[in-house]
Amino acid sequence: MTKRVAILISGGGSNMEALVRSMQGDHPARAVLVFSNVEDAGGLAKAQGLGVPTAALDHRTFGADRAAFDRAVNDILEDAAPDIVCLAGYMRILTPAFVEHWAGRMINIHPSLLPKYKGLHTHQRALDAGDTEHGCSVHEVTADLDGGPLLGQAHISIEPGDTAETLAARLLPFEHELFVKVLRRYAKGEKAFVTLG
Ligand code: GRF
């Protein structure tokens, strides 16, 4: 049975685009919704161009009430009835109730070699630490921010003269490749670790 995938974004959605394009061929899943908390996120136009239904809800209209926003997002997701939720550059911290509801069905891409550098500014933190290696991770989402079970990692080297910007740009294609490979397995119920680079 083809799995239904919803993808949550906040920005340009290059990871979302890679996932959607990967599901357009022979694939155990298909994209049924792209949602954003940013109503003019560039990724929404990309999703529409790829023929994927979209929805958006501005989190700012809910003020500080994160739970109310997540409940509204959950209603939108339930209408699409996804089997899997992918967080692809979704820059919102999820409430425990939301995470609990989608536990075991929600995965996220994070631009670091977890468990190193949970949270933000991962590239600069790797540079500041003098690391010679960097990368990205796909993990199942749990209440532990960026701390859920790892499903795959891609490794790149940090080159002399690298900045956070050059590192992010070099890593992004590896994020796409890793997320696509992990989702294909995840949609088949496989959790064998994916290693790239
Ligand atoms: C990616 O670097 C991702 O790892 C991080 O935010 C960025 C999203 O990029 N969470 P895009 O919106 O998928 O292009």
Side-chain angles (χ1 to χ4, degrees):
M1 181 265 288
T2 301
K3 291 291 191 298
R4 298 167 59 85
V5 174
I7 305 170
L8 277 58
I9 66 170
S10 295
S14 72
N15 275 286
M16 172 278 298
E17 184 175 7
L19 292 175
V20 169
R21 290 188 184 280
S22 76
M23 290 184 272
Q24 288 177 330
D26 174 24
H27 196 288
R30 65 185 177 89
V32 296
L33 177 71
V34 171
F35 170 84
S36 183
N37 63 302
V38 177
E39 292 182 335
D40 62 350
L44 291 172
K46 288 177 188 168
Q48 288 154 10
L50 291 165
V52 181
T54 61
L57 192 60
D58 185 344
H59 63 276
R60 294 172 303 181
T61 60
F62 289 78
D65 194 342
R66 289 181 176 274
F69 175 68
D70 276 2
R71 281 195 298 274
V73 174
N74 197 64
D75 290 346
I76 293 169
L77 286 179
E78 293 290 8
D79 284 348
D83 301 297
I84 297 169
V85 176
C86 293
L87 307 179
Y90 186 61
M91 306 309 277
R92 299 294 298 162
I93 292 179
L94 304 173
T95 55
F98 186 93
V99 172
E100 184 56 39
H101 182 74
W102 295 100
R105 304 181 281 169
M106 184 157 60
I107 59 179
N108 178 50
I109 183 133
H110 181 77
S112 79
L113 292 174
L114 292 170
K116 295 180 83 171
Y117 313 130
K118 297 178 180 180
L120 299 174
H121 312 304
T122 62
H123 313 299
Q124 191 57 55
R125 290 158 67 191
L127 289 167
D128 293 347
D131 292 355
T132 56
E133 189 184 47
H134 190 39
C136 55
S137 307
V138 175
H139 62 94
E140 286 194 294
V141 177
T142 65
D144 178 4
L145 179 68
D146 298 331
L150 289 174
L151 297 169
Q153 289 190 316
H155 298 251
I156 63 170
S157 60
I158 294 179
E159 306 295 342
D162 258 331
T163 64
E165 291 71 28
T166 62
L167 211 41
R170 192 157 72 248
L171 183 60
L172 201 52
F174 288 89
E175 294 183 29
H176 301 164
E177 184 181 359
L178 179 68
F179 214 169
V180 164
K181 283 185 166 37
V182 169
L183 176 60
R184 179 179 289 274
R185 291 188 181 191
Y186 199 73
K188 292 187 285 189
E190 298 168 7
K191 296 190 179 183
F193 197 83
V194 175
T195 299
L196 300 178

